[in-house]
Amino acid sequence: MSDRGQKAYNYFMQGYNCCQAVVLAYSDLTGLDEKTASLIASGFGGGIGRTRSVCGTVSGMVMAANMIKGYSDPKDDAGKKETYEMVQTLINKFKEQNGSIICAELLGLKPMENSEATPSPRTDEYYKKRPCPLLCKDAVEILEEYLNKT
């Protein structure tokens, strides 16, 4: 496991959600302090607000990638194209490694549209059943590999 992958794993194990864990692992490259990074990523855990849609690790990976290699000028068509290609590459790699980018599918659960928003307590039993810390590591390492190639 890479150092950055271990950071993401550890952040999740400290109680941060999956998206926060990934974004926080890249704070040295994004320039975001821990509070700002945590706030930006806070609603993306549990597959975006615990709806079990797009996995928070994927959202965090895209957020971090955008802050590191994205574009900011709305007229930068080449930058948009490069960014979208980057995001598609990252998502396809995550899907290839994990079978899906959908939280419910990754956890073997049904989607939770308009469901109870209360997160599950972080107990030893919770961590035994959830691949989330390993998915945090995977998302970080996929982005790390991409950044090292470009």
Side-chain angles (χ1 to χ4, degrees), residues 6 10-11 13-14 16 22 26 37-39 42-43 49-50 69 91 93 104 111 116 121 123 130 133 135-136 149:
Q6 186 66 55
N10 292 343
Y11 279 125
M13 297 301 284
Q14 290 172 36
Y16 288 100
V22 173
Y26 279 96
S38 297
L39 286 169
S42 63
R50 201 168 183 249
K69 294 195 68 87
I91 286 174
K93 182 69 174 180
E116 174 62 42
T123 63
R130 293 282 195 261
L135 294 171
C136 291
K149 287 182 180 177

Side-chain angles (χ1 to χ4, degrees), residues 12-129:
F12 186 85
M13 297 301 284
Q14 290 172 36
Y16 288 100
N17 73 39
C18 45
C19 185
Q20 289 171 319
V22 173
V23 173
L24 283 166
Y26 279 96
S27 60
D28 61 315
L29 296 181
T30 65
L32 296 179
D33 61 87
E34 188 171 286
K35 181 177 180 182
T36 303
S38 297
L39 286 169
I40 289 169
S42 63
F44 291 87
I48 306 176
R50 201 168 183 249
T51 62
R52 303 289 188 233
S53 57
V54 175
C55 175
T57 65
V58 173
S59 295
M61 177 177 65
V62 171
M63 285 181 192
N66 290 341
M67 287 184 278
I68 297 165
K69 294 195 68 87
Y71 72 96
S72 60
D73 179 351
K75 295 178 181 169
D76 180 5
D77 291 335
K80 287 180 187 181
K81 181 180 185 288
E82 289 173 17
T83 299
Y84 295 160
E85 287 173 350
M86 169 185 68
V87 170
Q88 291 173 13
T89 297
L90 296 171
I91 286 174
N92 288 335
K93 182 69 174 180
F94 187 93
K95 192 184 291 188
E96 178 186 309
Q97 280 187 208
N98 296 289
S100 180
I101 64 164
I102 303 301
C103 176
E105 293 172 6
L106 293 164
L107 298 180
L109 301 171
K110 292 183 180 182
M112 301 171 75
E113 294 179 25
N114 299 321
S115 67
E116 174 62 42
T118 305
S120 304
R122 297 282 183 99
T123 63
D124 288 342
E125 208 48 43
Y126 171 91
Y127 288 115
K128 286 179 189 174
K129 292 180 183 178

